[in-house]
Amino acid sequence: FHALYELNCIRFDRMHAWEATKFNHSLWWRNVPNDVRHRLNFHNQPVTAEGFVQYLADTARPEDFVALKVDIDGGPEIPIVRAIAERPELARLVDEVFFEYHFDFDGIDFGWHIRKPGARRRFRYDTYSNATVDDALGLMRQLRERGVRSHFWV
């Protein structure tokens, strides 16, 4: 992610990464390039929407360039992105957001589906709501109207 920005002459001063799965720190860090290590803060713990939003408010300033990749499988992806879209004071802190949006499609076996109680799991991750692609596009539009460049994938 950071390498793509560096190709466009944007070098991050600080980067923060959360991972809920417990890692052996020496094994995790050995894959991080040396020139990135001093800029990266690795939080080896689960993230909550409330905790992330508070962390963002406490650490970012409007003059900072803040890009977020929100990909928390089985976690609070959409609540985090919605908080940024709905709260102007947070939107002023974020310049660009990439986020994964799990949604139902039209039943043609595309995208992410809700698992009925007792049903076999069809996909690796299940969504927590009956969201649609229109919901995803609406959230992206809301972010863009607040001045946050936004992109999503499924």
Side-chain angles (χ1 to χ4, degrees):
F1 186 71
H2 80 280
L4 293 174
Y5 275 94
E6 287 188 358
L7 287 174
N8 290 296
C9 301
I10 298 172
R11 188 167 193 268
F12 294 116
D13 298 324
R14 289 180 295 158
M15 293 176 278
H16 301 272
W18 279 264
E19 176 56 56
T21 303
K22 290 296 180 189
F23 279 94
N24 174 307
H25 279 257
S26 62
L27 293 176
W28 191 88
W29 282 100
R30 79 173 176 197
N31 294 319
V32 177
N34 286 333
D35 68 318
V36 172
R37 289 177 184 227
H38 70 281
R39 298 181 281 150
L40 178 60
N41 297 295
F42 178 56
H43 309 271
N44 199 186
Q45 62 190 30
V47 64
T48 64
E50 300 80 17
F52 180 83
V53 165
Q54 189 61 54
Y55 192 84
L56 176 66
D58 291 345
T59 59
R61 299 178 315 250
E63 61 269 19
D64 293 336
F65 177 78
V66 175
L68 303 175
K69 178 183 177 211
V70 184
D71 183 7
I72 310 164
D73 294 324
E77 295 159 333
I78 302 309
I80 287 172
V81 176
R82 277 196 185 125
I84 295 165
E86 293 169 358
R87 294 177 50 190
E89 73 277 11
L90 293 176
R92 282 192 290 277
L93 299 174
V94 178
D95 296 280
E96 191 159 19
V97 174
F98 298 85
F99 63 99
E100 185 174 30
Y101 200 112
H102 300 195
F103 59 84
D104 280 338
F105 194 52
D106 61 3
I108 305 177
D109 235 15
F110 174 83
W112 301 84
H113 302 273
I114 301 301
R115 181 170 43 129
K116 305 268 189 283
R120 219 179 79 223
R121 192 172 184 164
R122 296 175 57 195
F123 298 95
R124 184 170 173 207
Y125 302 104
D126 293 319
T127 57
Y128 60 89
S129 69
N130 289 311
T132 67
V133 69
D134 291 333
D135 297 321
L137 292 170
L139 180 55
M140 192 167 68
R141 179 180 179 176
Q142 190 177 5
L143 285 162
R144 289 179 174 189
E145 287 172 346
R146 292 245 189 244
V148 179
R149 289 183 302 276
S150 58
H151 323 274
F152 78 93
W153 73 93
V154 296

